[in-house]
Amino acid sequence: MTSRLDRTFSRLRDGRQAALITYVMAGDPSLHETEQLVPKLEEAGADVIELGVPFSDPIADGPVIQQAAERALRSGTSLRAILQMVSRLRQHTQIPIVLMAYYNSIHAFGLERFCREAGAAGVDGLIVPDMPPDESKPLKEPAAASGLQLIFLLAPTSTNQRRTYVARQSKGFVYYVSLTGITGAKLNNVDEVRRNVEKIRKISPTPVAVGFGVATPEDAGNVAAVADGVIVGSAIVKQIAAHRQDAGLVEHVAGFVHALKSAMTARQTSRR
Ligand SMILES: O=P(O)(O)OC[C@@H](O)[C@@H](O)c1c[nH]c2ccccc12
């Protein structure tokens, strides 16, 4: 059986389009709202949903996502409740869902139990930014047994040797971090992104998605022209923060996602 992620990337590749991967923090401002939001993100043009698991010490995250984690924790969001929400979403949608969790959250839940329950709920992939592939051994088997694809990160500073290793280990897609910094920083060098994506594509057939600093429809269009996927986090989370008290929260966010997707559709991706 091919995975939802593999099917999505191959369908888009046939149309020479890049995937739009939208990140939201699960439980920001509440899990109820996340559950309303996900189908609307899909309708607005998201191809993959990345759901953040809120954690008190999110080392890779800038202030925008840190504050989203605080709101989510304050609203009582637990990993267990997130998995239950994913199973409810699965009754209505086949969009690929990737969880972004720090290692502690998964470890506290129990690695094997986590993989079993996440797989059963309908989670497709897992990003654990503080667990490089060299240290992922304990997670690999239970993840594979539950149909969870482990997605690993590469950075502009990764060496050739590292690039080869990580690109081969990563399943579903390779997450290329566009800059050395934290989430929500500013993207300024699309040329460097293009060069590094090309290097990764030479060593692996796995799609390459680019995240960190993609904030505007213009950025999304520029990255879509050079990669297989475009990941947008902080810019969406900012919209949620600004409109979280409004009745029109979901519509506002969907409008922004629609603008991102339209800018991407206008650009055909360079590959394969
Ligand atoms: O926020 P940005 O700059 O748009 O970057 C995407 C990012 O938010 C999302 O993929 C993400 C959120 N937290 C992370 C931690 C590590 C790696 C990636 C992430």
Side-chain angles (χ1 to χ4, degrees), residues 21-25 50 52 58-62 64-65 100-102 127-130 153 175 177-179 182-186 210-215 231-237:
I21 302 173
T22 55
Y23 170 93
V24 293
M25 177 65 75
E50 183 188 352
I59 48 166
D61 286 300
V64 169
I65 293 182
M100 200 305 295
Y102 288 95
I127 300 169
V128 187
D130 51 352
L153 287 76
Y175 192 132
V177 175
S178 71
L179 42 90
I182 49 177
T183 59
K186 194 171 154 22
V210 176
F212 279 49
V214 183
I231 305 164
V232 184
S234 299
I236 293 172
V237 173

Side-chain angles (χ1 to χ4, degrees), residues 69-181:
E70 283 164 23
R71 289 191 294 272
L73 290 170
R74 245 184 282 131
S75 76
T77 309
S78 66
L79 185 46
R80 192 182 130 85
I82 294 171
L83 296 179
Q84 289 168 343
M85 177 192 69
V86 172
S87 1
R88 289 192 301 273
L89 285 168
R90 272 288 167 251
Q91 298 172 0
H92 312 286
T93 174
Q94 292 303 314
I95 194 167
I97 297 177
V98 170
L99 289 192
M100 200 305 295
Y102 288 95
Y103 183 73
N104 257 291
S105 309
I106 304 174
H107 185 257
F109 197 87
L111 293 184
E112 301 220 341
R113 175 174 161 234
F114 169 76
C115 291
R116 212 169 44 238
E117 295 187 13
V123 173
D124 299 291
L126 200 56
I127 300 169
V128 187
D130 51 352
M131 185 197 67
D134 338 51
E135 289 164 24
S136 70
K137 224 176 163 196
L139 199 55
K140 260 190 189 144
E141 268 190 27
S146 303
L148 291 178
Q149 294 184 295
L150 297 183
I151 296 152
F152 295 112
L153 287 76
L154 278 170
T157 50
S158 304
T159 61
N160 278 329
Q161 194 188 2
R162 190 74 195 156
R163 214 172 5 248
T164 305
Y165 177 67
V166 173
R168 290 190 178 148
Q169 296 291 318
S170 197
K171 305 291 175 228
F173 62 91
V174 177
Y175 192 132
Y176 176 69
V177 175
S178 71
L179 42 90
T180 46

